Structure formats: C-alpha cells, structure tokens
Amino acid sequence: MELTLSPGSSLNSRPFWTSNAELFISRRCLLTAKRLTIELADVVTPECLRRIALEVLKLDKVDWQHINALAITGPSSAFTYYIDTVVVDDQTSADIAHTLQYFKRNLRNIVDLNLAYSNVGSMGSYICSCFGAIYGGQLQAHRASLTVPFTFVEFSRNLKVLELTLDSSAARILPSVCGETLVVLKLERVPLNLAWHYFCYDVFARSIVFRRLAILHLGYEASGMEITKEEIQSKSISGAHYYDQLCFPALRQLSITNCTPDCDLLYADIPFPELKVVRLSGHFDNIRHCSRLKLSWVGDLSIEIHSSEPDETADVYKVTNHFFSGVCIGRTASLDFNTERFPLDPELIRWANLTRLAVVVVDYVTVCKLIALLPSLAELSVFTLKLGVSLGGELDMAESLYSSADPLLAWGERLATIRILEFSEHCPSAVAVGSVQDLILHATSLAYLYVPEPLGPYLIEFVDKKKSRHAHLGKISIF
C-alpha cells in the first residue's frame, strides 16, 4: 500500500496530510504501508526538505521502518520547470547533509528511490545527488528525472532498475553498476563516448554481459557531427577499448534516440528472435546507423524521424524500405515522419509490413496511392491533408469513383483508423467533404474516423443516408 504526503512549499505554510494519510491513520494500518510519496506543490529546497524531515518524519503513530520505497515528485504538469540559480556553498551543503540524516534515520530501509521533482539547476541536482549518496549502496531501483552528479563510487550489487539523466560534464558520470543484476536500464543525455565498463567490475574485461536486462533505452546527446575513431578514443573515460563487446541474452525491449555512428549497441550480441519491441528515433542521420542492427524478426517496430536533409531523401527510402520490408514483423510496425519537408513518393516506397503511418503534411492523391501500396496498413494519421482538385462533394461522383476499376482505388483490407487533424483550406468546404466521403467509400475495413469538428455532421449525415447501399459505412464511428 502507498502513503501520500503533500507538504506546503512556501516558507509560511506547514505540511498537511492528504485524505490518503488520514485514511491510513483512521484504520491504524500504517504498518502495512510500503511506499511513501511526497508530492511537492512547488520545487524542492533545503527549507522544504528540513520541514519534511522535522514535521513529517517525526509524526506519531507512524512506523517508518516498513517503508521501502520513497518518491519525491514536483508539480503534476510535465511542462513545469524551475531553473534555480542558488549557489550550493559550504553552509548550504552542511545543512542539507544534516537534514538528510533524518531521512536516513527514519527511512532506513529504502530500496526504491524515485526523484521526479522539477528543479533544473545546481540545487536540484545537488539534492538529488545527496539522496543517491545516502541510499545508493542499498537500492534495488533508482529513478531521477534531472541531471545527477554522483559523489559515491558504487551502487548496490542488487540494483535492478536504473533510470537516470547523465551529466556528461562530470568527472564520473556513473557510479559502478553491476550489469549482471540489472533488469531495466534507461539513460538520457548519454555522451557519445559512454564507457560501458561502468557496468563491469573487471576493468580489463572485453565482454560485458547484462544477463537479466530486459528493457534498455539509450537517449544520446543530440549531435549532427560525425566523429572519428581517434576522437572517441581520446575522449573515452576508460581509455581501454574502442568498442565494448556487449551481450544482452534476455533483452526484450530496445529503444535508441539519436544513435551515434559508433554506438557499441550496433555490434552487441542481442538475441533478436526474442526481441519484442524496438523503438528508434531522432534525426534521420542518427536512425541511418541503426540499419546495422541485424534484425530478422521483431514483435513491434517503431521508427520516428524528427528531421532529414533534402540530399538524404534517397537514403531515407533505402533505410525505411529495409526495415519495413526486409524485417519480419510480429504485430505492429510504425513510422512517424515528424517533418513537413520530406517528400513522400509512392514510387520509391516498399513498406509491405508497415501497419501504422503518421505524416505531417501530405496531399490527398498521395494518401490514396499510399493506402493502395501498403497492404498491412491499419492506421493512418495526417496532421495536414492538402486538397487538390475538387471532387465536388457530390455523392454521384464519389460512387462513380467507387465502382471504377482503377488499381489506385484497390484499398487495403486492414485499414481500420484514419486521423486527419486539419485541412489545407477552410473547413468545411466542398473539397474537404468530398475528399473524406471518397475515403470512407473506398476504405471498406474502416472502423474509426477522426476529422476536424466542423466536418463531423456532414459525414454522419452522409453515412446515415448511404449505409443501406454500402454496408461497411454502418460500421464506421466518426469522431
């Protein structure tokens, strides 16, 4: 069970119990609480920590020894950040150290630490580092949402979950971690020269085995520059090897953002037949490197291209054709183009296994061709649909197209969802209404249609009038 506390954040406010805590007290069941969550209304400060320590952790009727998980969270909004400029001087450092002794004394059995408050700056990072220092040697799970400078040397050898944002400017970006016991590893702001020997106690070992690791995410620091082997070696913290031979015999989920050209994972020993989920994202130049992964089968494959250059167009098709036609997909294959500058050319597309496609801008004719070309497509999302020649919005025109033998109108049988966020012209217009009428007449497997609100009534009326003649229209839900 979980105990939740919400202390006030201002200097004049006092901590108060939430209804959750009152319920625990009234039932006299605090002894069964295993997790403590402290929800901050603002940001974490030395004063805030002191009040929690003195006024919360000393509350009567609470046996804190049964609490083994501690979470300190900031405002619920993911977009709320506070940039602190407080200098951590010797006196402040001593005050924080003294305060944290209350946490250590009362919450001595913490094995799961989650620091998700919203400070961005020296104070927030320093406090996070101090929490890691007092509990790091006993943790089984450690999560922190902001950059952490580590002051201790080694995590517990029982550590199973590690989710951190690294500080690449620090002399030591990680304490030593036992790779053998890790089950989940998620790292953000990973430096290009990450030394994997942080995860192996034998600094001379050539092979590093993550025997139990099931989930791995690496978010590399964004860099559009190619780096040479000599540059990596000169920057390497370990300085021992250019490539670390990595082994992941139990890996099930792999996620890479901004993959580097010399990423050790590209040469890792991964049991790809057992790999269930692969997610790749970043600038196309980063994703290009991931084509070196020898994927023969994957349950769910997701690729998100944030941007690409005009001279990379041919390579974009080469790489995406490799992933979505040369790799056997177990369930879903998703491709997101988060750039409106990339020209979709149906003549160059070979995405036979693609089940989900999301694009920023595309014209109506290309949409028709894409659906005809992609036999496995189940979901299509378009931010802006560009409209060309008007279909007139007339039912007779749409129905004549529906009976045409033109091969471009041979729609896939799996397309279940279409999302259109906006049109290139004012909506509703005859062109917009006619275009969507044409879409739903041809997409006989369609179940869900999401369109801008002004279009809804026109399409619902159209479906109601014609579903007796075209039975599949009666199965479409319009939102």
Side-chain angles (χ1 to χ4, degrees):
M1 300 182 71
E2 181 175 348
L3 177 62
T4 303
L5 307 177
S6 296
S9 59
S10 68
L11 295 178
N12 296 322
S13 62
R14 296 179 62 83
F16 62 89
W17 289 99
T18 65
S19 58
N20 170 275
E22 293 167 358
L23 178 63
F24 271 73
I25 292 176
S26 65
R27 296 183 178 180
R28 297 183 179 180
C29 59
L30 280 172
L31 292 180
T32 64
K34 301 295 184 181
R35 177 181 295 273
L36 171 63
T37 298
I38 300 174
E39 299 175 346
L40 303 180
D42 201 339
V43 296
V44 65
T45 63
E47 174 65 15
C48 177
L49 283 180
R50 189 181 70 83
R51 289 199 167 182
I52 293 172
L54 297 179
E55 301 181 37
V56 175
L57 297 182
K58 286 189 173 183
L59 285 172
D60 295 334
K61 300 181 180 179
V62 180
D63 187 347
W64 299 107
Q65 295 186 36
H66 289 78
I67 302 290
N68 58 28
L70 171 64
I72 301 179
T73 66
S76 58
S77 173
F79 302 101
T80 301
Y81 295 100
Y82 170 79
I83 301 177
D84 66 55
T85 57
V86 179
V87 177
V88 184
D89 54 26
D90 292 343
Q91 183 59 51
T92 303
S93 176
D95 291 343
I96 293 174
H98 178 72
T99 298
L100 291 187
Q101 289 305 311
Y102 284 93
F103 281 85
K104 181 64 174 178
R105 186 179 305 122
N106 291 281
L107 302 173
R108 64 185 66 178
N109 297 318
I110 298 298
V111 296
D112 186 330
L113 180 63
N114 181 12
L115 303 175
Y117 49 81
S118 54
N119 294 56
V120 178
S122 58
M123 180 60 69
S125 294
Y126 181 75
I127 291 175
C128 189
S129 174
C130 291
F131 269 107
I134 65 172
Y135 289 120
Q138 65 191 58
L139 292 178
Q140 296 179 17
H142 185 29
R143 304 172 182 87
S145 61
L146 70 165
T147 303
V148 183
F150 288 100
T151 58
F152 62 100
V153 177
E154 182 179 324
F155 273 113
S156 162
R157 298 202 179 196
N158 294 319
L159 190 69
K160 296 180 175 63
V161 178
L162 185 62
E163 300 179 13
L164 299 175
T165 299
L166 302 182
D167 181 2
S168 58
S169 65
R172 184 180 184 87
I173 62 173
L174 270 174
S176 294
V177 182
C178 181
E180 292 270 354
T181 61
L182 280 177
V183 177
V184 177
L185 176 61
K186 297 182 179 181
L187 301 177
E188 295 291 351
R189 292 187 61 184
V190 178
L192 304 180
N193 56 325
L194 175 66
W196 286 91
H197 280 270
Y198 284 120
F199 300 92
C200 180
Y201 293 107
D202 181 359
V203 295
F204 298 106
R206 183 62 177 173
S207 179
I208 302 173
V209 181
F210 294 80
R211 197 168 305 280
R212 300 179 183 177
L213 195 68
I215 300 174
L216 173 62
H217 167 75
L218 296 178
Y220 285 91
E221 291 182 318
S223 173
M225 299 184 298
E226 292 285 337
I227 55 176
T228 65
K229 175 179 177 178
E230 290 73 22
E231 287 175 320
I232 295 179
Q233 287 178 319
S234 67
K235 295 177 183 179
S236 175
I237 294 176
S238 68
H241 303 295
Y242 171 42
Y243 291 117
D244 289 321
Q245 183 57 47
L246 309 176
C247 183
F248 302 93
L251 196 63
R252 295 295 180 268
Q253 297 183 25
L254 173 63
S255 173
I256 309 174
T257 300
N258 297 323
C259 182
T260 65
D262 293 292
C263 174
D264 293 293
L265 285 178
L266 302 179
Y267 309 94
D269 181 7
I270 301 176
F272 289 114
E274 301 299 322
L275 204 54
K276 305 300 182 185
V277 178
V278 174
R279 295 187 177 94
L280 311 172
S281 62
H283 185 281
F284 170 71
D285 191 50
N286 301 116
I287 293 175
R288 181 207 314 263
H289 308 308
C290 295
S291 60
R292 299 182 202 170
L293 292 169
K294 296 179 176 60
L295 294 175
S296 57
W297 183 94
V298 62
D300 299 299
L301 173 63
S302 173
I303 296 180
E304 184 175 336
I305 300 176
H306 297 163
S307 59
S308 65
E309 300 301 325
D311 60 354
E312 295 175 327
T313 299
D315 287 337
V316 170
Y317 285 113
K318 180 179 179 181
V319 171
T320 55
N321 289 347
H322 161 72
F323 278 114
F324 296 114
S325 64
V327 177
C328 183
I329 306 299
R331 291 183 299 180
T332 63
S334 175
L335 176 60
D336 286 64
F337 280 104
N338 287 342
T339 172
E340 59 184 66
R341 296 190 300 169
F342 184 76
L344 282 173
D345 186 349
E347 298 298 322
L348 300 177
I349 289 173
R350 305 291 184 272
W351 301 335
N353 295 329
L354 191 68
T355 62
R356 179 186 172 276
L357 175 63
V359 295
V360 176
V361 178
V362 66
D363 63 83
Y364 175 75
V365 174
T366 300
V367 165
C368 296
K369 293 181 179 181
L370 285 174
I371 296 174
L373 283 170
L374 305 176
S376 301
L377 191 66
E379 180 179 335
L380 175 65
S381 297
V382 178
F383 188 92
T384 301
L385 182 62
K386 295 171 64 177
L387 302 173
V389 178
S390 174
L391 295 175
E394 297 292 335
L395 179 60
D396 291 341
M397 171 64 78
E399 290 187 310
S400 67
L401 288 171
Y402 183 62
S403 60
S404 170
D406 190 329
L408 289 181
L409 302 176
W411 299 90
E413 297 181 354
R414 299 184 181 180
L415 186 62
T417 303
I418 295 177
R419 290 183 172 87
I420 304 172
L421 188 62
E422 66 180 25
F423 291 87
S424 58
E425 61 180 61
H426 179 70
C427 180
S429 68
V431 180
V433 173
S435 297
V436 180
Q437 286 178 352
D438 185 47
L439 280 175
I440 63 178
L441 277 175
H442 292 78
T444 57
S445 60
L446 193 64
Y448 304 101
L449 175 66
Y450 298 83
V451 292
E453 185 176 353
L455 243 66
Y458 294 90
L459 297 174
I460 292 173
E461 180 182 4
F462 174 76
V463 166
D464 288 341
K465 287 182 178 179
K466 299 304 172 183
K467 62 185 178 183
S468 59
R469 182 173 180 181
H470 305 292
H472 74 280
L473 295 178
K475 301 176 184 179
I476 300 176
S477 298
I478 299 175
F479 302 94

